[in-house]
Amino acid sequence: IEETIETNGTKKEETIVVPESKGPERLGVGLGWDPEDNGQPFDLDASAFMLGADGQLVDEPFFVFYNNPASPEGAVMSSGDDRTGDSSDGGDDETLFVDVTLVDPRVQQIVFAVTIHEAEERGQNFGQVRNSFIRVYDLDTLEEIARFNLGEDFTSETGVQAGRLYRDGSTWHFEALGLGVKGGLEELLGIYAAKFC
């Protein structure tokens, strides 16, 4: 695996080039954080936007998040909504499971994001959340492909576009993005699901 990384402020771009004819077919997108700090609870959420050639959600059910835990064809599924970050082993608190062999043919890319629930109302950002991270890994080999430490890399943001899977013919490739937003989930919906808002 070859990696090219360009860092510019909070924007981090990383292209993963897989020399084999096909990239990983089953991926995990893991999200983890520590529970409340100084009496302040944090609720982080992982989500996936399944986009068409126009860069927009192909249909509302193809936005996978806490209120819609699976895409219609079962290609993206959530482990469930963890509202506390209180995992006993310090590992992933929420996971999105992806099987690219099942993806609807209309979907050309899948963007993975993490946001803080009710961040604006609570006055929260990633800089306040202890040991928060999002990582992407191959489910078959457990090899970690990309990882972002949210509290260190995105101190004032409330949402992060962590990476995307994109279709290239019959092959899928992963690109790490690391793009922070300050409008949380609402801003991301405005970017990728404007026609449904």
Side-chain angles (χ1 to χ4, degrees):
I1 295 178
E2 299 176 4
E3 301 181 4
T4 303
I5 302 175
E6 177 184 339
T7 303
N8 180 12
T10 59
K11 178 178 179 180
K12 296 190 175 183
E13 295 181 355
E14 181 179 354
T15 302
I16 309 299
V17 180
V18 182
E20 297 83 3
S21 60
K22 300 186 74 175
E25 293 187 338
R26 299 192 323 123
L27 292 172
V29 180
L31 170 63
W33 72 100
D34 282 355
E36 65 180 55
D37 188 21
N38 297 323
Q40 184 173 214
F42 294 95
D43 180 5
L44 274 58
D45 296 308
S47 57
F49 297 85
M50 304 178 74
L51 312 177
D54 61 354
Q56 290 290 297
L57 208 63
V58 296
D59 201 355
E60 288 184 84
F62 288 86
F63 170 42
V64 178
F65 71 122
Y66 51 83
N67 278 341
N68 180 45
S71 61
E73 82 290 53
V76 181
M77 302 184 70
S78 171
S79 64
D81 184 19
D82 185 318
R83 299 184 178 183
T84 65
D86 192 16
S87 65
S88 58
D89 60 1
D92 300 345
D93 296 301
E94 291 186 18
T95 304
L96 295 174
F97 300 100
V98 184
D99 187 337
V100 299
T101 66
L102 302 177
V103 175
D104 186 292
R106 294 175 294 168
V107 175
Q108 298 300 305
Q109 61 175 315
I110 306 171
V111 174
F112 303 105
V114 55
T115 54
I116 303 174
H117 186 61
E118 296 183 343
E120 184 175 351
E121 294 88 335
R122 299 177 181 180
Q124 297 177 343
N125 56 56
F126 285 121
Q128 301 168 331
V129 187
R130 291 185 298 129
N131 299 322
S132 58
F133 65 86
I134 186 167
R135 68 189 187 102
V136 180
Y137 60 96
D138 187 319
L139 274 173
D140 295 313
T141 66
L142 301 183
E143 179 184 3
E144 200 166 87
I145 299 170
R147 182 186 184 99
F148 294 101
N149 295 314
L150 301 171
E152 297 175 10
D153 298 332
F154 306 97
T155 55
S156 62
E157 286 81 0
T158 59
V160 175
Q161 301 168 74
R164 70 178 185 122
L165 275 172
Y166 63 94
R167 194 192 293 266
D168 180 14
S170 61
T171 304
W172 287 84
H173 300 284
F174 178 79
E175 179 184 13
L177 298 174
L179 300 173
V181 299
K182 295 186 177 180
L185 190 57
E186 288 298 319
E187 183 171 340
L188 294 174
L189 287 169
I191 295 171
Y192 297 119
K195 61 185 177 182
F196 300 109
C197 295

